[in-house]
């Protein structure tokens, strides 16, 4: 039964919106540098396995909860679960969304600045000059303005609602993004550093394999697929009854992984061509690509296109993050959508300003040796999302009404029937056990 809430109108719309949430800075900004810091090919192998065996089942489980509950994270949990305990998943989700969007907006703000910078052009600047330029920018107060501008744009789209705002914008932006990234990757194939990049990305060195690499891969897969915190419960609540949840999940996961790979192929040849360290961290994309753009004929135009692409990717994900607290406030407290958006903007805006400031040299906004920005990033990806993943899988695997689970996973026996048992096995055993083992062996850090 569909109710009067918004819903995604078409199949393409669902996939575009869900993929829009999944594909974002996580693929193009985070994946290359986390892969770079964790040994390249080894990380990628572990990452693929985790996506397939852990993240996809969690995504489908979240869809199932949301589509049955037809409410925000909290409301949906209340519909499907007995007892207050499971509401903790709802609180965790809303909290994680707020924290993630607070640091996410900072990077998204950088992309807005780089769109403007690329109009001016990077020509004649080598890596040293670009690094100095970037450090000057991060240490100024300019990023605050860009961060808040990005958040304001996100708020406007969310204000327009599910079908007109989220679905429509994703349908236009997602295909453009894929095309632009494809073009960039083809270009990179011809750079001199391609051979080295290829070895780095695809030739595993198993001596680099540690528990930390596995935990990072887990965190990255959850972050990249937007699972473990209720975004997919919220989006699941907008998916119509006739859509095949497994199909949507698998299509989105495949696009997500392919786009992260494309980003790797676009970025690493340049990293090796221009002698940038693959382990240079969160600024990797912002140093690497301008280095390429400064040296090639149509560099200025390409650079503009690339940062617009990154901005598209970021905003389709940011709207899904903001939608979590907004749906929660409107449905649980009867607050008008407009005011819920304003409240989200104010709280997240304030936190994001602190995140921005924490990246400045000598900032005292430090938690456990990390800048507030890095702390939010690591805490959400490596702890909150996996814990959310355990809660979702334990609930769907062991506590959800069996008939209800079967009906949601298979559309009352109409699709994915053969896969059902295997999916339930993954959700019941593999996901919670694997994540718990990881946590224990890593000793929580
Ligand atoms: N998946 C997004 C990305 O890869 O950039 C980030 C994200 C969006 C994480 C939504 C979590 C989320 F709920």
């Amino acid at each position: 039964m569909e109710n009067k809430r918004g819903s995604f109108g078409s199949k393409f719309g669902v996939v575009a919106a869900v993929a829009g949430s999944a594909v974002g800075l996580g693929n193009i900004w985070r994946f290359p540098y986390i892969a770079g810091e964790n040994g390249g090919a080894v990380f990628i192998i572990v990452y693929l396995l985790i996506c397939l065996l852990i993240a996809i089942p969690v995504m489908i489980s979240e869809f199932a909860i949301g589509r049955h509950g037809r409410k925000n994270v909290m409301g949906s949990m209340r519909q499907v679960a007995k007892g207050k305990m499971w509401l903790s998943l709802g609180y965790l989700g809303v909290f994680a969304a707020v924290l993630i969007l607070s640091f996410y907006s900072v990077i998204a703000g950088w992309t807005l600045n780089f769109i403007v910078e690329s109009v001016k052009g990077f020509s004649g600047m080598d890596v040293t000059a670009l690094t100095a330029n970037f450090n000057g920018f991060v240490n100024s107060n300019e990023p605050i303005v860009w961060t808040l501008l990005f958040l304001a744009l996100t708020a406007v789209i969310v204000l327009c609602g599910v079908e007109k705002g989220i679905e429509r914008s994703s349908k236009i932006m997602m295909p453009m993004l894929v095309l632009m990234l494809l073009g960039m990757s083809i270009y990179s194939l011809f750079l001199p550093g391609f051979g080295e990049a290829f070895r780095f990305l695809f030739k595993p060195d198993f001596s680099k394999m540690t528990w930390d690499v596995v935990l990072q891969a887990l965190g990255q897969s959850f972050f990249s697929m937007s699972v473990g915190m209720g975004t997919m419960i919220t989006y699941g609540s907008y998916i119509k009854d006739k859509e095949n949840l497994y199909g949507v999940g698998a299509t989105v996961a495949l696009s997500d992984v392919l786009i992260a790979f494309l980003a790797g192929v676009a970025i690493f040849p340049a990293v090796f061509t221009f002698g940038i360290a693959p382990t240079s961290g969160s600024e990797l994309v912002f140093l690497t690509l301008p280095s390429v753009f400064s040296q090639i004929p149509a560099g200025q135009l390409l650079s503009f296109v690339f940062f617009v692409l990154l901005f598209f990717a970021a905003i389709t994900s940011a709207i899904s993050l903001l939608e979590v607290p907004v749906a929660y406030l409107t449905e649980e407290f009867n607050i008008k959508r407009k005011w819920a958006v304003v409240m989200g903007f104010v709280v997240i805006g304030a936190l994001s300003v602190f995140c921005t400031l924490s990246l400045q040299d000598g900032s005292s906004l430090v938690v456990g040796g990390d800048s507030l920005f890095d702390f939010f990033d690591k805490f959400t990806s490596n702890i909150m999302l996996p814990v959310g993943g355990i809660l979702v899988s334990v609930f769907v695997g062991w506590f959800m009404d069996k008939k209800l689970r079967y009906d949601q996973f298979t559309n009352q026996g109409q699709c994915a029937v053969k896969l059902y048992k295997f999916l339930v096995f993954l959700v019941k055993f593999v996901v919670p056990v694997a994540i718990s083992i990881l946590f224990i062996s890593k000793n929580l850090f």
Side-chain angles (χ1 to χ4, degrees):
M1 242 201 353
E2 320 284 349
N3 59 20
K4 286 249 168 61
R5 301 170 75 239
S7 68
F8 297 131
S10 65
K11 186 174 181 70
F12 178 60
V14 179
V15 173
V18 179
S21 166
V23 176
L25 294 173
N27 306 61
I28 301 164
W29 159 72
R30 203 171 187 279
F31 177 82
Y33 94 79
I34 297 281
E37 286 177 343
N38 288 282
V42 169
F43 173 88
I44 292 176
I45 293 172
V46 180
Y47 178 74
L48 282 179
L49 282 174
I50 290 182
C51 287
L52 202 66
L53 299 177
I54 300 184
I56 296 183
V58 174
M59 183 185 275
I60 298 168
S61 302
E62 288 197 24
F63 285 157
I65 297 175
R67 188 167 69 169
H68 178 76
R70 291 261 176 252
K71 289 226 153 53
N72 64 86
V73 212
M74 205 79 76
S76 291
M77 283 317 290
R78 205 177 282 122
Q79 295 282 325
V80 288
K82 292 190 193 77
K84 289 228 164 81
M85 191 199 122
W86 296 108
L87 291 186
S88 56
L89 181 63
Y91 291 114
L92 185 86
V94 174
F95 191 43
V98 168
L99 293 189
I100 294 180
L101 192 51
S102 303
F103 75 84
Y104 204 81
S105 305
V106 176
I107 307 295
W110 292 359
T111 65
L112 282 177
N113 171 65
F114 271 71
I115 294 176
V116 176
E117 290 273 316
S118 45
V119 173
K120 292 192 230 146
F122 299 105
S123 65
M125 290 172 88
D126 60 9
V127 177
T128 323
L130 285 165
T131 311
N133 187 37
F134 183 77
N135 288 340
F137 167 68
V138 170
N139 278 295
S140 71
N141 285 334
E142 229 186 295
I144 296 180
V145 179
W146 292 115
T147 302
L148 293 177
L149 177 64
F150 174 80
L151 209 50
L153 293 171
T154 307
V156 171
I157 298 186
V158 173
L159 201 58
C160 295
V162 175
E163 200 165 341
K164 289 213 187 83
I166 299 176
E167 182 176 346
R168 189 180 293 170
S169 55
S170 305
K171 270 204 288 210
I172 304 170
M173 292 193 251
M174 292 307 295
M176 279 175 69
L177 178 131
V178 176
L179 278 182
M180 289 191 215
L181 203 54
L182 211 57
M184 298 267 323
S185 308
I186 294 173
Y187 179 82
S188 279
L189 299 184
F190 298 99
L191 286 174
F194 178 71
E196 208 175 330
F198 189 84
R199 278 190 295 282
F200 181 75
L201 285 172
F202 300 108
K203 200 159 164 265
D205 170 1
F206 286 102
S207 67
K208 298 242 169 75
M209 175 96 158
T210 60
W211 281 116
D212 197 47
V213 169
V214 187
L215 185 66
Q216 297 280 351
L218 179 78
Q220 172 62 22
S221 75
F222 273 42
F223 184 84
S224 188
M225 292 219 214
S226 311
V227 297
M229 48 156 289
T231 304
M232 292 306 171
I233 296 185
T234 309
Y235 268 27
S237 74
Y238 304 133
I239 298 181
K240 290 192 170 149
D241 287 337
K242 64 175 196 296
E243 306 295 352
N244 169 352
L245 295 185
Y246 177 76
V248 175
T251 314
V252 168
L254 191 71
S255 339
D256 193 62
V257 167
L258 284 179
I259 292 181
F261 270 39
L262 272 184
V265 172
I267 286 160
F268 280 105
V271 166
F272 291 106
T273 305
F274 297 104
I276 298 169
T279 48
S280 51
S282 59
E283 61 262 43
L284 186 69
V285 169
F286 294 91
L287 294 181
T288 312
L289 292 164
S291 310
V292 184
F293 298 136
S294 69
Q295 316 228 345
I296 54 177
Q300 197 162 347
L301 178 68
L302 274 178
S303 143
F304 177 77
V305 168
F306 178 80
F307 286 108
V308 169
L309 170 162
L310 204 52
F311 165 71
F312 282 173
I315 201 154
T316 48
S317 300
I319 52 187
S320 74
L321 283 162
L322 187 57
E323 182 63 18
V324 176
V326 166
Y328 166 64
L329 289 173
T330 47
E331 292 176 1
E332 297 294 306
F333 299 96
N334 247 332
I335 295 175
K336 283 215 173 86
R337 195 169 177 84
K338 185 169 78 184
W339 293 117
V341 171
V342 170
M343 283 165 73
F345 177 80
V346 171
V347 172
I348 297 165
L351 286 172
S352 69
V353 170
F354 288 119
C355 283
T356 313
L357 294 173
S358 77
L359 290 175
Q360 299 190 340
D361 292 340
S363 164
S364 53
L365 292 162
V366 175
V367 185
D370 279 323
S371 64
L372 186 69
F373 175 99
D374 284 331
F375 173 73
F376 277 10
D377 182 357
K378 285 188 192 163
F379 185 68
T380 49
S381 298
N382 296 348
I383 298 192
M384 291 180 93
L385 302 187
V387 168
I390 294 188
L391 288 175
V392 169
S393 60
V394 169
F395 172 70
V396 171
W398 299 94
F399 293 90
M400 190 173 179
D401 180 82
K402 287 204 183 69
K403 163 141 181 17
L404 212 155
R405 180 178 70 201
Y406 180 79
D407 285 351
Q408 282 299 334
F409 273 40
T410 65
N411 287 5
Q412 278 102 2
Q414 288 175 40
C415 54
V417 177
K418 285 199 186 124
L419 277 170
Y420 178 70
K421 279 207 174 120
F422 180 58
L423 275 177
V424 171
F425 170 74
L426 292 178
V427 169
K428 259 187 158 156
F429 301 104
V430 177
V431 177
V433 171
I435 300 179
S436 309
I437 291 180
L438 251 178
F439 269 140
I440 294 165
S441 40
K442 256 303 284 175
N443 230 345
L444 279 181
F445 260 125

